[in-house]
Amino acid sequence: MPDHEHHQDTTASRQLIMATAGHVDHGKTSLIKHLTGVDTDTLKEERARGLTINPGYAYHHFEDPSGSGDQITLGFVDVPGHADFIPNMLAGVGSVANALLVVACDDGVMPQTREHLSILQLLGIQQVVVVLTKIDRAPAEQLQNTASDIARLLHAKGFENTEFFPVNNLTGEGTTELLSHLKEKAIHTTSSTTGEFRSRFLVDRSFSVKGIGTVVTGTLKQGQLPCTEQLVLSATGEEVRIRALRLDDYAIQQLQPGQRAAVNINIAHDKVQRGDWLQEKASYQPSFRIDTELILLDEKVRLRSSAQYHLYIGASHHVVNIRALDEADSLYQVRSLESMHAHHGDRFVIRDPAAKNTIGGGRVLDIFVPRKGRSSAARLDELKSKREPAAEALVALLEASPYGIDCKQFSCNYDLTSAALESLLDQTRESVSSVSLKGSDSPRLLSNSRLSEFNTLILKQISSYHSANKSSQGISEPQLNSALGFQGSPLLLNAILKLLIQQGSIDRTGTVLHLPTHQASLSEEEEQFLAKIHPILKQAGNIPPRTRELVELTGIPLRPLERILKQCSKSGILIKVADNRHYLPETIAELAEFTEQLAKSYDADSGFSVIQFRDASGIGRNLCIEILEYFDRIGFTRREDNARFIRTQKENIFG
């Protein structure tokens, strides 16, 4: 209940939002009514049964006593205490940093007291105020015993320096002292406005108001949210415009992290559900797998990868499978059939398959899960590095990741603003290189020492190839990749090679790489190939002459010609596609690019046919079959009945 009735625009300079916690019928809703004058049980069923079902919301506004004129708000999220409504309780506490633990003196510590406190612990909520209710029903000794029991429980859960307030919800005794304490906390509350993170607003309700349109309520998890901001809805990726912001009865111009508001948006209210996010477009990254740090409340519990558990994150609920990556280090992978929307550091709670007991919880480490090596030593080292904040993690990851880190993924995982990312990169500029990958808008970050190691290995391998193949002009990119045992992306190797070429350390002639000082000692066959055959194949492009046609075009007899073609295929300057058809490597690379683009133009589940390849390429049907069968043999495509599909990126085969 406001101390002062005024409804002008404000910036909502300070808010302290607290959620209640505690066993059913311990007086949480009555307490909030004493503090705010608002009955948060608004449903007919809630009033009939005398218990909270859905989270309720109430506010107490007051002016800063310093005389600044600032409005300060105490906000309360009243959550259900009954065991049947724990999912609703989780939705209510999923975005707060403070809690009121309410315990009735006549009952003392009860099952939901313990479970709610475990949930607060798992969600990282450390600011807890204990309210001892129903003091009229307990003698002084019982009140003291209850307080001692709670203190021991709090200590066991890691809560320290907790304030206790005894109150009587019938008479209001003790509520004045409690309210004064909470006001003092609110006065000294400051919002983190460093600009490090992008804006994310967690929705807990959505409804329509006549004459206004869709209104959603919730909490700004991070960033800043001004009026007229353009965001996206996590459920659909649809763009959403903020029309207005309100805090209770007050219009506000901007929201700070941790603050609640009602937000008027420009889409239908039935498109928005509890647990959805309004977030910046750069933050939008639906995930079906996330890697996490997960703590089990009972060390004896063992998670089964085949079982379905209940994940509560933010204000959303997902049925998930959980797979241990490293139990000793509490690293687990969570998989959901429905998309999850999370970022590094987001807290979650896990309940058992029957959704009856809270068994653990933790925080998100990575929303970009690799397709291979999910529990390899290198991947586990990465996840351990990601336990740290962004600045420390970046340094650790550059040491732990032999093939560098994807700059865009790192930024999205930590949900960093562009300015925050640039600041981090500036701090590491002297020791880190940014490598641009072909076809990617995100550079790869490599430590200078790691890049120097790759450069040395590449130069050594090319030199060794020259020593063993004096007649060869150079080594192809796929050959080099294989010889190096390079486990990173072929695009990364290609980018490193480009840097070496720019530096003048190596040269590229056609499709082969060589040292600038290398002069090939061509065999007689290779000299004839370069003089007579290469120009013909280059001019022919996608439809090279058959072997017997080359006899007529070059004047070289069949057997010597076959010997030349065999020798050149062996040295890598020619590719044998079929018994009577040979291609230049650069032409095959162009056909691979064409094939990849063709596959993208058709449905991923149906693939493309020989006829579709023929019609798009203008190449005859028989030659199309030969080309595609060659691609099948080398693992670039695969055939299923009359359809073909891309098996791997062309860079993995052709460089």
Side-chain angles (χ1 to χ4, degrees):
M1 178 168 58
D3 288 348
H4 297 79
E5 292 295 333
H6 54 86
H7 303 272
Q8 73 269 23
D9 284 357
T10 176
T11 57
S13 57
R14 272 169 288 177
Q15 289 186 27
L16 178 67
I17 308 298
M18 307 193 76
T20 60
H23 198 74
V24 64
D25 198 33
H26 275 202
K28 297 184 292 298
T29 302
S30 297
L31 176 65
I32 299 306
K33 188 172 182 179
H34 273 294
L35 296 174
T36 66
V38 176
D39 185 352
T40 56
D41 280 349
T42 58
L43 298 178
K44 184 177 179 180
E45 184 182 356
E46 289 178 319
R47 290 176 174 173
R49 297 176 62 180
L51 56 81
T52 300
I53 297 174
N54 273 326
Y57 306 89
Y59 301 93
H60 177 96
H61 308 288
F62 63 99
E63 285 190 1
D64 189 339
S66 68
S68 66
D70 288 346
Q71 175 184 270
I72 302 176
T73 298
L74 279 171
F76 298 93
V77 183
D78 183 30
V79 304
H82 196 284
D84 290 349
F85 306 121
I86 287 287
N88 290 345
M89 179 269 178
L90 286 160
V93 301
S95 59
V96 301
N98 301 268
L100 288 173
L101 179 64
V102 180
V103 183
C105 289
D106 56 342
D107 280 347
V109 174
M110 296 291 282
Q112 265 55 66
T113 310
R114 296 180 183 279
E115 185 169 18
H116 282 206
L117 198 56
S118 293
I119 288 170
L120 298 182
Q121 175 194 19
L122 294 169
L123 292 177
I125 299 171
Q126 287 297 313
Q127 299 298 316
V128 176
V129 174
V130 177
V131 182
L132 300 171
T133 60
K134 302 186 181 181
I135 57 174
D136 54 307
R137 298 187 183 181
E141 184 179 355
Q142 187 175 357
L143 191 155
Q144 186 59 48
N145 290 338
T146 299
S148 298
D149 290 344
I150 298 169
R152 283 192 292 272
L153 182 60
L154 288 166
H155 179 74
K157 297 289 185 183
F159 296 94
E160 303 293 345
N161 304 317
T162 306
E163 299 276 355
F164 284 70
F165 290 87
V167 302
N168 183 334
N169 278 339
L170 294 177
T171 65
E173 178 189 350
T175 56
T176 300
E177 291 79 6
L178 172 60
L179 185 58
S180 296
H181 174 74
L182 297 180
K183 281 185 174 183
E184 192 66 24
K185 284 177 68 71
I187 289 168
H188 295 96
T189 294
T190 56
S191 293
S192 173
T193 55
T194 61
E196 182 179 3
F197 302 110
R198 299 187 187 277
S199 302
R200 280 199 296 155
F201 181 88
L202 178 60
V203 175
D204 50 44
R205 290 183 297 172
S206 175
F207 49 90
S208 182
V209 178
K210 188 175 181 179
I212 295 176
T214 299
V215 174
V216 297
T217 66
T219 304
L220 186 66
K221 169 82 171 177
Q222 60 190 39
Q224 295 183 343
L225 188 62
C227 279
T228 71
E229 181 81 344
Q230 193 84 16
L231 302 172
V232 297
L233 176 64
S234 64
T236 62
E238 184 177 351
E239 290 192 354
V240 176
R241 185 171 61 84
I242 307 299
R243 288 173 168 168
L245 298 170
R246 293 190 73 82
L247 170 61
D248 202 11
D249 292 330
Y250 299 85
I252 57 177
Q253 297 303 312
Q254 182 166 283
L255 211 55
Q256 304 293 348
Q259 296 184 341
R260 282 191 61 80
V263 184
N264 180 207
I265 57 177
N266 67 333
I267 62 172
H269 80 91
D270 56 3
K271 288 186 176 182
V272 191
Q273 306 293 326
R274 174 196 285 176
D276 288 345
W277 294 87
L278 300 179
Q279 56 191 150
E280 294 185 39
K281 193 171 184 178
S283 300
Y284 180 67
Q285 183 63 45
S287 305
F288 293 89
R289 294 178 188 267
I290 52 176
D291 284 344
T292 71
E293 180 179 45
L294 193 160
I295 306 300
L296 296 172
L297 294 173
D298 183 350
E299 294 180 355
K300 297 177 183 177
V301 169
R302 286 291 174 267
L303 300 178
R304 294 177 289 115
S305 59
S306 60
Q308 292 187 319
Y309 297 92
H310 295 267
L311 169 79
Y312 299 87
I313 186 166
S316 65
H317 165 240
H318 301 271
V319 177
V320 299
N321 298 111
I322 302 175
R323 173 192 171 199
L325 301 175
D326 186 342
E327 282 186 280
D329 240 324
S330 303
L331 298 175
Y332 292 81
Q333 186 172 107
V334 176
R335 181 176 68 88
S336 172
L337 293 178
E338 297 179 334
S339 62
M340 299 175 284
H341 297 271
H343 290 275
H344 180 275
D346 284 359
R347 294 276 183 166
F348 61 87
V349 167
I350 298 291
R351 305 197 85 211
D352 64 14
K356 291 295 184 184
N357 299 293
T358 299
I359 59 174
R363 62 189 180 121
V364 176
L365 296 180
D366 199 353
I367 61 173
F368 294 95
V369 176
R371 283 180 286 182
K372 296 180 180 179
R374 294 173 185 166
S375 56
S376 65
R379 175 59 180 170
L380 294 178
D381 285 342
E382 283 185 33
L383 292 177
K384 291 169 188 175
S385 298
K386 288 176 181 175
R387 283 177 164 147
E388 303 298 327
E392 291 83 352
L394 179 60
V395 174
L397 283 169
L398 288 167
E399 290 300 318
S401 307
Y403 298 101
I405 60 177
D406 185 298
C407 190
K408 189 174 181 180
Q409 287 187 1
F410 176 83
S411 177
C412 184
N413 184 51
Y414 277 86
D415 212 13
L416 301 174
T417 62
S418 299
L421 178 63
E422 280 303 314
S423 177
L424 285 182
L425 296 180
D426 284 342
Q427 296 171 30
T428 59
R429 201 74 72 182
E430 293 183 2
S431 60
V432 175
S433 292
S434 178
V435 181
S436 298
L437 304 190
K438 180 182 177 182
S440 172
D441 60 353
S442 175
R444 197 85 182 166
L445 301 177
L446 277 173
S447 67
N448 289 341
S449 58
R450 191 77 67 182
L451 183 59
S452 179
E453 288 176 19
F454 284 138
N455 291 345
T456 300
L457 289 171
I458 289 168
L459 294 174
K460 184 178 179 181
Q461 189 60 51
I462 292 177
S463 179
S464 297
Y465 182 85
H466 288 332
S467 298
N469 303 272
K470 297 184 183 298
S471 66
S472 175
Q473 177 65 36
I475 185 171
S476 70
E477 214 169 296
Q479 284 178 300
L480 178 62
N481 193 324
S482 177
L484 290 169
F486 194 81
Q487 298 298 310
S489 164
L491 292 173
L492 175 59
L493 178 60
N494 178 264
I496 296 172
L497 293 172
K498 283 183 178 178
L499 290 176
L500 287 172
I501 292 170
Q502 291 170 8
Q503 296 166 9
S505 299
I506 62 173
D507 282 340
R508 187 192 295 272
T509 300
T511 60
V512 297
L513 302 156
H514 57 88
L515 299 178
T517 56
H518 175 68
Q519 293 293 327
S521 303
L522 298 179
S523 64
E524 180 183 344
E525 290 84 359
E526 289 170 325
E527 287 179 348
Q528 284 186 288
F529 169 77
L530 291 173
K532 295 185 177 182
I533 302 172
H534 186 277
I536 294 172
L537 295 180
K538 190 170 183 64
Q539 185 176 8
N542 292 343
I543 310 176
R546 296 181 179 88
T547 303
R548 289 189 178 275
E549 291 171 333
L550 281 173
V551 170
E552 298 175 8
L553 292 168
T554 61
I556 303 173
L558 179 59
R559 288 193 178 281
L561 178 65
E562 288 177 336
R563 186 175 67 250
I564 293 169
L565 296 175
K566 182 178 180 180
Q567 175 65 28
C568 291
S569 297
K570 186 177 179 182
S571 67
I573 60 176
L574 193 63
I575 292 176
K576 181 180 178 181
V577 169
D579 287 340
N580 64 347
R581 196 84 70 166
H582 294 75
Y583 276 86
L584 296 178
E586 54 264 40
T587 306
I588 284 292
E590 291 169 2
L591 283 170
E593 168 72 22
F594 167 81
T595 306
E596 202 167 63
Q597 294 304 316
L598 178 68
K600 289 178 182 177
S601 68
Y602 289 97
D603 184 78
D605 295 326
S606 61
F608 64 91
S609 67
V610 171
I611 302 303
Q612 289 165 333
F613 186 92
R614 180 201 66 185
D615 293 345
S617 67
I619 301 172
R621 181 177 179 277
N622 289 340
L623 181 52
C624 287
I625 292 173
E626 290 177 346
I627 293 168
L628 292 173
E629 286 181 346
Y630 166 72
F631 283 160
D632 293 342
R633 288 197 303 274
I634 63 174
F636 176 51
T637 57
R638 62 181 171 84
R639 179 181 175 182
E640 290 184 13
D641 297 324
N642 292 322
R644 276 185 169 80
F645 303 84
I646 301 296
R647 290 187 64 179
T648 186
Q649 292 177 306
K650 64 182 183 303
E651 288 83 7
N652 292 337
I653 305 293
F654 306 104

